[in-house]
Amino acid sequence: MKIQAINGFKDILPEAVGRWQYIERQARDIFARFGFQEIRMPILEKTELFVRSIGEATDVVEKEMYTFADKGITMRPEATASVMRAFIEHGLHVQQPVQRLYTIGPMFRHERPQKGRLRQFHQLDAEIIGAAEPRVDAELIAMGQMLLDELGLTVSLELNSLGCPICRPPFKERLVLFLAERHQALCDDCRRRTHTNPLRVLDCKKESCRAVVQEAPSLLEVLCPDCDRHFTEVRSALEELGIVFSINRFMVRGLDYYTRTTFEFLTADLGAQAAVGAGGRYDGLIEQLGGPSLSGIGFAMGLERLALLMEQQQNRLIPAKSMDIFVAALGMTTVAFSGQLTHALRQQGAKAAIDYSGRSLKAQLKQAGRVNARFTLIVGEDEWARGEAILRDMQTQKQQPVLLSGPIEEQARSLFAMIQTAARP
């Protein structure tokens, strides 16, 4: 019996990896334009980190984490808590008051696998730590929009404010009273959430609950003066930057650490998994984890969903992977020399491929086409005996003789310079 991948854990095959690498290159480039630096954290963290940050009454902590209970460790379900742990542990705020950090890597949640949702998934995560100004919120959101624009993706942006520890408790009381009056119309999960985490009821995907919350009170109606001013300034700054958005008064995030500005980038092209990216402000999180009292805001984007959306919208062609040159060794007597020449070409910086089987020219030209080689160097036994080879341009099919004399390194240097010159438009 063949062993297959675990349900919810997916292989990313070579033909898909090119799209992933393209997304990652674009992200790294844009993050660098905004002054972000990369940080890499371990996959395993102490379970307490996520319980204290995400919230004990969240679905992530209650149902979805991959936890080794006897060890007290968990495979990270999201990146922000790990970034904050590293930030605090290494005193990064001492080095620089405002830190702009990003990370790219796998996360793990035991969810029901479906299109765009896996149990091992990958995220681009960006965080700004130590800046409380509303314009910072707008700048981070604009960076996310810029990445999506440069990937050629069409999405919509929705905003909300989740208030702060001053205005949120009175709102929760109002919301609990509202939900209690409609207890019978809620699903079992939302009946439980009404008493443990009432904000999560606003985000339930079941139609019966969605119908109930349409009449629910909104935090935007009861924001304290500071939160109201902050949200107004965020909206104004986004308008100044030309970022189009709409207000979703029922938007909440699945993690308890969010405060004030929250946002989501949404698409209608991925079915139920509408969000390709989301984030928000978390001003109390760092202090809650034992660090200094600093503000923070961040977002995450799912690589799987970005790749799916690029494929779905089909509006951006990813350049095909290609080789500079394929060395076709015809006959076994030329294989040793051709292998040395290929290695020397690679040392010069060329992307070079070779088939050591000594197959026919026709078979090797097909192989050159499969690896998308721009040039093929044909090393036949007769030509090699005369110190020659044939260089074929695979685009124009033009051929020219190439002398093979002198040290192998000089041959490789000369040949690489020749193909670079010929490849220029």
Side-chain angles (χ1 to χ4, degrees):
M1 184 178 70
K2 292 188 297 185
I3 299 175
Q4 296 184 324
I6 300 168
N7 188 28
F9 292 73
K10 185 178 179 181
D11 299 310
I12 305 163
L13 301 179
E15 58 265 26
V17 166
R19 183 175 284 109
W20 283 58
Q21 291 175 334
Y22 178 78
I23 294 169
E24 291 172 12
R25 284 197 303 272
Q26 294 298 105
R28 292 179 192 279
D29 175 61
I30 289 172
F31 293 165
R33 295 184 216 170
F34 283 75
F36 281 71
Q37 295 180 300
E38 185 174 8
I39 184 171
R40 302 186 185 190
M41 300 84 57
I43 286 172
L44 290 174
E45 297 274 9
K46 292 181 179 178
T47 304
E48 182 186 6
L49 173 66
F50 303 114
V51 173
R52 288 172 59 184
S53 60
I54 296 173
E56 193 168 2
T58 59
D59 285 352
V60 174
V61 171
E62 285 185 340
K63 304 176 182 178
E64 298 169 1
M65 295 201 310
Y66 283 93
T67 295
F68 301 88
D70 58 329
K71 304 292 185 183
I73 57 177
T74 292
M75 299 171 73
R76 63 186 186 196
E78 59 98 41
T80 299
S82 291
V83 174
M84 296 308 112
R85 191 267 310 150
F87 173 85
I88 295 166
E89 182 174 342
H90 300 285
L92 297 186
H93 62 286
V94 177
Q95 303 172 23
Q96 191 171 313
V98 177
Q99 288 279 342
R100 293 167 175 250
L101 304 171
Y102 77 90
T103 191
I104 302 174
M107 314 294 158
F108 304 85
R109 295 187 192 180
H110 192 272
E111 299 184 287
R112 183 170 62 87
Q114 52 187 289
K115 183 179 181 181
R117 173 180 283 178
L118 296 170
R119 290 172 174 172
Q120 176 179 307
F121 57 99
H122 299 75
Q123 287 185 338
L124 308 168
D125 183 90
E127 314 284 351
I128 300 178
I129 309 167
E133 298 81 8
R135 288 187 181 277
V136 172
D137 302 28
E139 184 183 86
L140 183 79
I141 293 168
M143 182 176 77
Q145 184 68 63
M146 185 180 294
L147 173 57
L148 294 165
D149 289 343
E150 295 201 11
L151 291 175
L153 300 178
T154 302
V155 299
S156 60
L157 170 63
E158 293 186 353
L159 299 181
N160 194 19
S161 176
L162 291 181
C164 70
I166 294 174
C167 49
R168 194 145 55 181
F171 169 74
K172 281 187 176 180
E173 291 179 8
R174 288 182 56 186
L175 181 59
V176 168
L177 288 173
F178 172 87
L179 296 173
E181 293 172 356
R182 295 155 180 82
H183 183 75
Q184 294 302 321
L186 300 175
C187 70
D188 291 341
D189 277 345
C190 286
R191 290 173 187 170
R192 176 179 51 81
R193 290 171 182 149
T194 298
H195 305 288
T196 59
N197 197 347
L199 287 179
R200 295 295 300 142
V201 179
L202 301 176
D203 195 39
C204 183
K205 300 299 186 288
K206 294 186 178 178
E207 288 301 323
S208 58
C209 298
R210 291 172 71 88
V212 168
V213 302
Q214 290 305 307
E215 303 300 324
S218 168
L219 248 169
L220 295 180
E221 301 164 359
V222 294
L223 291 179
C224 68
D226 285 345
C227 288
D228 187 56
R229 181 167 51 253
H230 185 99
F231 195 47
T232 298
E233 291 180 15
V234 170
R235 299 197 305 270
S236 297
L238 286 171
E239 289 168 355
E240 290 171 5
L241 297 174
I243 306 298
V244 178
F245 61 89
S246 61
I247 303 299
N248 178 355
R249 66 192 187 98
F250 295 121
M251 182 199 301
V252 295
R253 304 295 303 133
L255 314 177
D256 278 357
Y257 53 63
Y258 283 113
T259 59
R260 292 191 169 176
T261 308
T262 55
F263 56 94
E264 290 184 346
F265 294 103
L266 303 171
T267 178
D269 292 335
L270 294 179
Q273 307 310 310
V276 296
R281 184 164 280 284
Y282 45 82
D283 287 347
L285 176 60
I286 299 167
E287 189 173 11
Q288 182 181 329
L289 293 175
S293 179
L294 292 173
S295 299
I297 185 170
F299 70 73
M301 291 186 179
L303 273 165
E304 283 85 356
R305 295 186 189 181
L306 292 173
L308 270 174
L309 193 57
M310 290 185 71
E311 186 177 0
Q312 189 87 8
Q313 296 187 348
Q314 296 180 342
N315 56 353
R316 181 61 61 92
L317 294 175
I318 308 303
K321 290 288 182 182
S322 61
M323 304 299 291
D324 295 317
I325 187 168
F326 181 89
V327 180
L330 306 181
M332 297 308 296
T333 58
T334 68
V335 166
F337 165 79
S338 298
Q340 294 174 51
L341 181 60
T342 302
H343 184 67
L345 280 164
R346 292 165 176 162
Q347 289 178 317
Q348 292 297 318
K351 290 181 284 185
I354 185 173
D355 183 339
Y356 291 106
S357 67
R359 295 184 298 165
S360 68
L361 176 59
K362 181 178 180 180
Q364 296 208 47
L365 287 176
K366 284 184 178 180
Q367 179 66 15
R370 282 193 286 269
V371 300
N372 199 25
R374 175 62 200 276
F375 296 92
T376 297
L377 185 71
I378 303 169
V379 187
E381 292 179 318
D382 293 340
E383 291 85 357
W384 179 64
R386 298 195 302 268
E388 292 182 355
I390 302 296
L391 184 65
R392 174 181 289 195
D393 187 322
M394 299 296 286
Q395 290 184 0
T396 66
Q397 300 302 306
K398 291 181 179 178
Q399 299 186 165
Q400 60 178 310
V402 175
L403 291 176
L404 301 177
S405 61
I408 199 83
E409 293 79 10
E410 290 183 10
Q411 294 182 41
R413 188 179 302 114
S414 175
L415 181 58
F416 189 36
M418 183 184 300
I419 64 176
Q420 286 181 304
T421 299
R424 291 190 189 119

